[in-house]
Amino acid sequence: MALKALAAIAFLFALSLCQRGHAEEVEIDSLRQLADYAGRSGYQVTMKPGTYQLADLIPLDSTAQRRRDKRYWYIDFSGSNNQFRLDGVEIIADTKIREALRPPVHSNEFLVSGNHNQIHGLTITNTGNGKSPGGALVSITGDDNTISHCQFTVRGSSPYGYGDLFGKGGPSVIGHLKHSGVQILGNRTRVLDCRLLVRSFGHGFFVQGGEGQHFENCYVEGEVRSTDEMLEETEGPAHRVNFQMVLKTRNGDHTVLPGYTKSKCEDGYRTYNAVKDLTLINCVAKNMRGGFELRTKGGGVHIQGCEAIGCERGFWVGNGAIIEESRGNIQFGPLLYLEGDGAKIDLTCDGKEPQSIVHALAAISGKDHRVILRTTSKDAEPSDVPILVGYSAPPAGEGMCFLSARSAANIVLENLTSSPVIVHQKAAANQIDSQAAIRYDDSPRR
């Protein structure tokens, strides 16, 4: 019986390969043709290189009818077993189309809802600053899809320029209209050699479901802004609310503090819900709120050879996460927030001092972690930025807020940096080997 089952599986696999090998090849030269073949199955589609205007497919005067038809997306790759060769193809998507559609909250734009598709070489560029209530430029909901060598530039959010200081989806001082990059919900999605430029308040790549997602050689970049610059404004949304943010700061009130740097965007790589078996290899996050915020409840996060540059926090992981051969800096915020149980972390800090106020190189809580923190500078001067053991990330990761004491037990920490280690006195049964000083503290917050 087992041999018959294996033979049947082998036959179906061979049949699938045969069918894919005989995919019909077509050449196209318009967005209407692309939208048409996106809904078919079993094609190898090559599109003529060039710049294509989304308005040619969706004129502004068609948005009222699309709204009545509840067709809020632009192009849906709903077919399966297709290959789209789109090298040199750029779609210019003016955000005023999105604003004219007035879609429901969290509606997405370019969809990949079919299965076993390959999309290679596509560039999508937002222009303008039209607003819509959330949603992503690209949403992948089907299974076993691959996007490779693609570039996406995301614009169109409000307000833009303050990050999450005034709200981000829960309680808000200023209501946000967000616009994110690439949402992933399907299983076994592969994102290879892709570049994402985020020029809106929203996430870069965010995984909200599925398992077996794989990112490799990807790059996501946002923009940052100092709170000093924000506080100089004499008009605008922040000035109108008296610079009163959502969270209480270290000063004991809700006023934005000078001396910090905020990303204008959200997280570079982000998970929600119980995502399982997520792999990131040789990926970079630059100037994002969180570089790699992967606190999935599903487990199986593996980060290898990745880098966080100029983020508010570089890596924030939890249960069972593995980080190896990865690096980052503390230019604008901590390198690491670690929580949960059983993580294995090997991270290198570039050794340079922060360019704005930073309260920790790392904050470690939970239990049974194995952590190595290194530096690229062998002769670095002693640092004032500590590694905290027995302290959690501040509320919502906001650097202007206090870090609170939290349980930490059976943690093995090897500190090869010049930063001192501060251990909360309630932290228990930890093994700490440090090149810099180790101090104990009973403060409930730092």
Side-chain angles (χ1 to χ4, degrees), residues 9-23 81 116:
I9 292 170
F11 172 77
L12 291 173
F13 180 69
L15 179 62
S16 172
L17 290 178
C18 181
Q19 289 173 337
R20 294 185 192 182
H22 289 83
N81 299 311
H116 298 283

Side-chain angles (χ1 to χ4, degrees), residues 106 183-187 203 206-213 267 269-278 293-301 316 318-319 339:
H106 301 317
Q183 176 199 48
I184 296 173
L185 288 163
N187 296 299
H203 292 304
F206 61 114
V207 182
Q208 291 187 301
E211 60 183 45
Q213 323 295 7
D267 303 322
Y269 304 86
R270 173 66 185 265
T271 56
Y272 290 88
N273 307 320
V275 174
K276 297 180 180 180
D277 299 326
L278 172 66
E293 190 157 329
L294 308 173
R295 295 181 288 152
T296 173
K297 298 176 182 177
V301 172
W316 192 347
N319 293 331
E339 60 193 22

Side-chain angles (χ1 to χ4, degrees), residues 132-427:
S132 68
L137 181 66
V138 177
S139 176
I140 304 172
T141 60
D143 293 337
D144 301 292
N145 291 296
T146 298
I147 61 171
S148 59
H149 293 274
C150 293
Q151 176 165 310
F152 308 118
T153 301
V154 186
R155 292 184 173 88
S157 66
S158 177
Y160 180 62
Y162 309 101
D164 60 3
L165 285 177
F166 305 111
K168 59 177 183 176
S172 296
V173 176
I174 302 172
H176 281 83
L177 297 175
K178 303 202 298 186
H179 193 202
S180 295
V182 179
Q183 176 199 48
I184 296 173
L185 288 163
N187 296 299
R188 297 172 299 280
T189 302
R190 293 174 61 82
V191 184
L192 311 176
D193 297 281
C194 288
R195 182 178 177 88
L196 178 55
L197 303 179
V198 185
R199 302 295 183 259
S200 64
F201 181 61
H203 292 304
F205 297 101
F206 61 114
V207 182
Q208 291 187 301
E211 60 183 45
Q213 323 295 7
H214 183 98
F215 294 82
E216 191 163 349
N217 299 326
C218 291
Y219 178 89
V220 57
E221 177 189 284
E223 296 179 311
V224 297
R225 188 181 183 207
S226 72
T227 57
D228 292 353
E229 181 182 323
M230 297 178 196
L231 291 166
E232 289 176 357
E233 293 183 354
T234 57
E235 59 182 5
H239 185 265
R240 286 196 293 271
V241 299
N242 236 3
F243 301 99
Q244 296 299 293
M245 54 188 281
V246 173
L247 298 169
K248 184 181 290 187
T249 73
R250 290 168 175 260
N251 278 10
D253 59 24
H254 292 262
T255 305
V256 174
L257 298 180
Y260 292 82
T261 296
K262 292 289 294 181
S263 174
K264 300 179 185 180
C265 314
E266 292 192 287
D267 303 322
Y269 304 86
R270 173 66 185 265
T271 56
Y272 290 88
N273 307 320
V275 174
K276 297 180 180 180
D277 299 326
L278 172 66
T279 302
L280 298 98
I281 299 175
N282 297 336
C283 292
V284 176
K286 182 177 181 180
N287 293 348
M288 301 297 290
R289 181 181 68 188
F292 300 81
E293 190 157 329
L294 308 173
R295 295 181 288 152
T296 173
K297 298 176 182 177
V301 172
H302 186 186
I303 302 169
Q304 180 178 348
C306 292
E307 184 173 14
I309 305 168
C311 297
E312 287 187 48
R313 57 254 186 189
F315 299 82
W316 192 347
V317 296
N319 293 331
I322 297 173
I323 302 178
E324 55 186 356
E325 299 174 359
S326 295
R327 58 206 176 275
N329 60 34
I330 55 172
Q331 187 175 9
F332 305 129
L335 176 66
L336 173 68
Y337 288 139
L338 178 57
E339 60 193 22
D341 304 337
K344 296 180 180 179
I345 309 296
D346 191 332
L347 269 174
T348 298
C349 186
D350 72 1
K352 297 178 181 177
E353 287 297 295
Q355 295 184 16
S356 57
I357 298 174
V358 176
H359 297 284
L361 185 149
I364 300 170
S365 63
K367 63 181 181 180
D368 300 323
H369 302 309
R370 302 294 180 265
V371 182
I372 302 175
L373 296 174
R374 308 176 188 269
T375 181
T376 57
S377 178
K378 295 181 180 179
D379 301 315
E381 294 294 326
S383 174
D384 293 329
V385 183
I387 297 165
L388 304 178
V389 178
Y391 290 89
S392 68
E398 176 51 59
M400 298 180 207
C401 302
F402 283 108
L403 294 85
S404 299
R406 182 175 292 181
S407 172
N410 194 31
I411 292 168
V412 177
L413 170 63
E414 184 177 0
N415 174 30
L416 302 176
T417 76
S418 62
S419 291
V421 179
I422 298 177
V423 184
H424 193 271
Q425 288 187 346
K426 291 185 179 179

